[in-house]
Amino acid sequence: MQARRASRELALILFSQLEKNMDKYQDCDFEKIVLKSVRTLISSSQEELNLATSGLYEIAQIIDEYENNHPDNLKRPIEANNIPVQIPLTCDMSGRIKTILSVCDKALNALEIAELSTLSQKTDVRDYINKIALTFKDKKQDIDNIIKELAFGWDIDRLFKIDKDILRISIIELVFMKDAPHKVVIDEALELAKKYSTDDSPSFINGILAKVVERYV
């Protein structure tokens, strides 16, 4: 994961924790909120992973018992090793296979969060997050006015908060910071939308950001 991409994702985590009154925050508060949020994510991810992994042990036990009690193995000598047998794809076994896939997803998520945690300690990542947060603190009304103007037919207060925060971060980078290529900012905003929001969010966000580039950049 690139440092700048990690900065955007961590900024999104930060924005999810911010209250409406931005004036209450000091510069050092942003770093503390990010660190606390990442620790919470790691703890939650570990708990989910441990819970899901227990399902794998159950599946392994079921397979062993099925093999031991299969007629082909029951008629073999006691001292002989079991021979492999076919496992019927019953609804129960199919459901357990889905559990394995879920465990794999949780494992990947845990690895990503661990990587985010490591990157959050890097100076360049922290500096970029703070730059985004401070710009939002200073320009919040201007940023939200851009969203209101370009999200024609949408009430900004009724937008999904995650979508609104992705737009805010992207507008900060595109309009106010201007130190990253437009395509990179938009592409990574869409990746965040795919990861954290609804199926319709990427196309909605892409449409708004395209207008931002056309009118403000």
Side-chain angles (χ1 to χ4, degrees):
M1 182 182 294
Q2 297 176 352
R4 190 63 63 84
R5 183 184 305 169
S7 299
R8 294 182 179 100
E9 189 157 350
L10 288 164
L12 185 61
I13 293 171
L14 168 63
F15 275 39
S16 70
Q17 304 297 313
L18 294 178
E19 298 178 15
K20 288 186 176 181
N21 180 18
M22 291 295 295
D23 293 334
K24 65 179 287 186
Y25 295 109
Q26 303 297 320
D27 295 4
C28 60
D29 291 336
F30 299 129
E31 186 175 338
K32 292 177 182 177
I33 294 171
V34 169
L35 184 59
K36 182 179 179 181
S37 298
V38 170
R39 285 174 176 167
T40 300
L41 285 172
I42 291 173
S43 176
S44 175
S45 180
Q46 288 173 334
E47 289 176 4
E48 288 186 5
L49 190 57
N50 288 334
L51 182 62
T53 303
S54 66
L56 292 178
Y57 291 109
E58 292 180 11
I59 294 170
Q61 184 177 2
I62 289 171
I63 291 174
D64 287 343
E65 289 177 357
Y66 183 85
E67 184 180 77
N68 290 332
N69 296 320
H70 193 276
D72 290 348
N73 283 314
L74 288 175
K75 63 186 179 184
R76 288 172 62 80
I78 295 177
E79 67 276 7
N81 292 328
N82 285 340
I83 58 173
V85 297
Q86 289 186 339
I87 298 176
L89 280 178
T90 63
C91 292
D92 179 62
M93 190 58 68
S94 179
R96 294 180 184 277
I97 290 172
K98 290 178 181 177
T99 299
I100 296 176
L101 296 175
S102 176
V103 169
C104 293
D105 286 340
K106 292 179 188 301
L108 290 173
N109 186 49
L111 289 173
E112 285 186 1
I113 291 172
E115 188 176 8
L116 271 179
S117 177
T118 300
L119 287 170
S120 70
Q121 304 306 308
K122 293 184 63 175
T123 301
D124 55 341
V125 172
R126 292 203 309 268
D127 288 348
Y128 201 75
I129 296 169
N130 280 334
K131 193 173 180 180
I132 290 173
L134 289 172
T135 303
F136 183 58
K137 179 180 177 180
D138 293 339
K139 302 290 185 180
K140 181 179 184 298
Q141 192 59 54
D142 294 335
I143 293 163
D144 284 353
N145 284 341
I146 291 174
I147 298 174
K148 287 179 183 177
E149 176 191 345
L150 300 181
F152 184 76
W154 291 82
D155 181 351
I156 187 172
D157 293 326
R158 299 184 67 181
L159 292 177
F160 288 117
K161 187 176 189 305
I162 192 76
D163 292 352
K164 189 159 50 178
D165 287 342
I166 292 172
L167 286 171
R168 285 166 166 167
I169 292 168
S170 301
I171 290 170
I172 288 168
E173 288 194 272
L174 291 169
V175 178
F176 297 99
M177 292 171 56
K178 298 183 178 181
D179 59 356
H182 305 160
K183 187 178 186 305
V184 171
V185 173
I186 294 174
D187 284 350
E188 294 196 4
L190 300 182
E191 289 301 314
L192 287 174
K194 291 175 185 175
K195 183 174 181 179
Y196 290 108
S197 197
T198 66
D199 291 340
D200 295 331
S201 294
S203 60
F204 169 72
I205 288 172
N206 186 53
I208 299 297
L209 295 181
K211 294 176 184 177
V212 171
V213 171
E214 180 182 344
R215 300 188 190 184
Y216 289 94
V217 178

